[in-house]
Amino acid sequence: MKKIVMDIDVIRKNAKRDIEAATSVKTCEDVRVQYLGRKDGELTAVLRALSSMSLEEKRRVGSEANALRVELEELIENKIKELSSKKIQRIDVTKPGKRVSLGHLHPLTRIDREVRDIFSSLNFSVVSGPELEDEYHNFDALNIPGDHPARDMWDTFWVKPRTDNGEEIKGAKKGGKLLMRTHTSPMQIRYMETHQAPFQIIVPGRTFRYEATDASHEINFYQVEGLMVGPNVTLANFKFIIESFFKRFFGENLEFRYRPSYFPFVEPGVELDVKLPGGKWLEVMGAGMVHRNVFNAVKYDKEMQGFAFGMGLDRLAMIKYGIPDIRLFYSGDVRFTKQF
Ligand code: YSA
C-alpha cells in the first residue's frame, strides 16, 4: 500500500519541484492527480485524515492543507498556461531540407580565370602591376611624351600625393606625376626593365579612365595586356597565339579580321575584330609589333622584337554572356551576379 505522507512541508516541497519540472500539459495533469487527485492524491489523503484528528490538530493541519491545495491548484494552472503558450516545435523528418544558398563568382572573375587558364596553357606567365602609376610608365616610356596628341586617347585621373595631414606634396618626382593607370600597357615597361627576353606574359588588371559612363564605358574596368618578345617574334606568332586564344574562349567557329590601327607604342598597329557564328563583327583588341622607341626606353638590344596586345575584359564578358550594359558589373546587385 502507498505510504501516506502526512508532513505538509514535504508534500509542498515535492509538489513544487514536480510542477517546476513538468514539460507538458500531460505531466501537469499527472502532478495534479498525484497530489490533489480525489482518490489517491497525497494532499487529499491528509485532508481525509482530518476526521480522526483532535480539534486542535484539525484546525492547524486543516487550514495549512487547504492553503496548500489552493496554492498548488494555482501553480499547476499557471504552468499549464505557460506550456500551452509555447509553440510546440515538431520536426517533420520527411520534409525536404532547406536549400543552402551558394555564393556565385562574379562574371568578371570567371572571365579573368578563363583568360589566365588559356594563356597559361599557351605558355604565357601571368604578372600584375601597380594600379597607381607614374606618368613615365603610363605614357612617356610607351612613346607618348607630354605634348603628344595621343595622350587625349586616355582620359586620365591624375593623383595629387598628400601627407597624412592632407597637405599636398609638391616637387617633381622620379617618373613624373602620379595617375591611376589608364591601361595595363605600363607593365610592358616595368616587366622589361627587370627581365630579359625571350619571354611571354599577360597582365590582367584594373584600369581607370576619366570619362562619361554609358552602356559600354565605365570609369573603372579591366584589361588584359599581352607581350611576347624574342629575337624572332613576328606578327605571324601573334596571329597564331591570339586566334588560338579566341577559339578556346568563344569556340572554334570564329572569323577574324585585322584592321590597321594606331597606338604610339606599336608599329605597325592593328585592331582585331571577331565574328561569332551568325553574329556581327565585334572589335576585341588593339595590338601590334612593339615600337623601337619602347625597346629603347628599356635598353633592349636592336635584335629584339615582339608583339603586344590589349583587350577589355569587361567587353569580352559582355560578348560571352550577352550582357547589355557594362554598369551591371559594378552595380553590386546580387540578382545580377546570381545568374552566373
Ligand atoms: C594596344 C596595342 C598594344 O600593343 C597593347 C595594348 C593596346 C591597348 C591599349 N593600351 C589601350 O588601352 N587601347 S584602348 O584604349 O582602345 O582600350 C583597349 C580596350 O579596353 C578597348 O578595346 C575596350 O575593350 C576597353 N576599354 C577602353 N575604355 C573602356 C573600356 N572598357 C570599358 N570602359 C571603358 N571606358
Side-chain angles (χ1 to χ4, degrees), residues 249-260:
F249 188 79
F250 283 127
E252 282 294 322
N253 276 332
L254 273 190
E255 285 181 63
F256 299 92
R257 186 166 73 183
Y258 296 84
R259 283 180 292 107

Side-chain angles (χ1 to χ4, degrees), residues 27-181:
T27 40
C28 286
E29 291 303 345
D30 290 347
V31 173
R32 192 203 300 276
V33 171
Q34 184 183 343
Y35 294 97
L36 307 172
R38 230 187 265 183
K39 233 171 101 202
D40 282 330
E42 290 183 23
L43 192 60
T44 316
V46 175
L47 289 163
R48 210 171 273 145
L50 285 177
S51 56
S52 57
M53 292 181 191
S54 67
L55 197 61
E56 196 194 324
E57 259 184 327
K58 242 186 228 168
R59 255 193 218 125
R60 188 180 57 76
V61 178
S63 74
E64 243 184 275
N66 268 320
L68 181 57
R69 188 176 53 81
V70 173
E71 189 185 350
L72 293 184
E73 293 275 15
E74 201 177 307
L75 285 174
I76 291 169
E77 277 317 307
N78 287 344
K79 187 72 182 187
I80 287 175
K81 268 191 211 143
E82 180 194 320
L83 286 170
S84 23
S85 71
K86 271 192 196 150
K87 207 163 177 271
I88 299 162
Q89 289 217 333
R90 285 177 207 281
I91 298 172
D92 180 355
V93 290
T94 63
K95 248 175 142 180
K98 268 193 192 157
R99 188 187 287 268
V100 178
S101 71
L102 290 177
H104 291 252
L105 284 180
H106 193 279
L108 288 177
T109 308
R110 284 183 181 279
I111 296 293
D112 177 69
R113 288 188 181 178
E114 205 174 331
V115 169
R116 285 168 193 250
D117 283 352
I118 300 175
F119 276 107
S120 299
S121 75
L122 292 167
N123 228 4
F124 276 64
S125 307
V126 182
V127 300
S128 57
E131 291 171 5
L132 178 64
E133 257 300 355
D134 58 41
E135 201 177 357
Y136 174 75
H137 289 93
N138 196 84
F139 290 126
D140 299 73
L142 286 167
N143 199 28
I144 320 170
D147 54 0
H148 200 294
R151 280 214 179 183
D152 294 346
M153 287 166 76
W154 292 276
D155 302 296
T156 309
F157 282 111
W158 296 98
V159 177
K160 284 184 185 159
R162 293 181 187 277
T163 63
D164 287 347
N165 302 329
E167 286 156 28
E168 199 180 323
I169 302 170
K170 294 238 165 69
K173 295 241 302 184
K174 191 172 162 272
K177 289 192 285 179
L178 291 178
L179 50 88
M180 299 310 292
R181 68 175 172 194

Side-chain angles (χ1 to χ4, degrees), residues 260-294:
S261 185
Y262 173 73
F263 299 96
F265 31 91
V266 283
E267 179 55 39
V270 294
E271 257 168 334
L272 173 60
D273 303 334
V274 296
K275 192 173 156 201
L276 296 166
K280 46 183 185 159
W281 286 103
L282 300 159
E283 183 194 316
V284 285
M285 66 163 51
M289 293 302 287
V290 178
H291 198 288
R292 183 51 46 198
N293 288 354
V294 173

Side-chain angles (χ1 to χ4, degrees), residues 125-129 181 184 187-188 201-205 223-226:
S125 307
V126 182
V127 300
S128 57
R181 68 175 172 194
T184 40
M187 259 316 277
Q188 292 190 27
I201 56 162
I202 57 158
V203 191
Q223 284 191 341
V224 182
E225 192 80 8

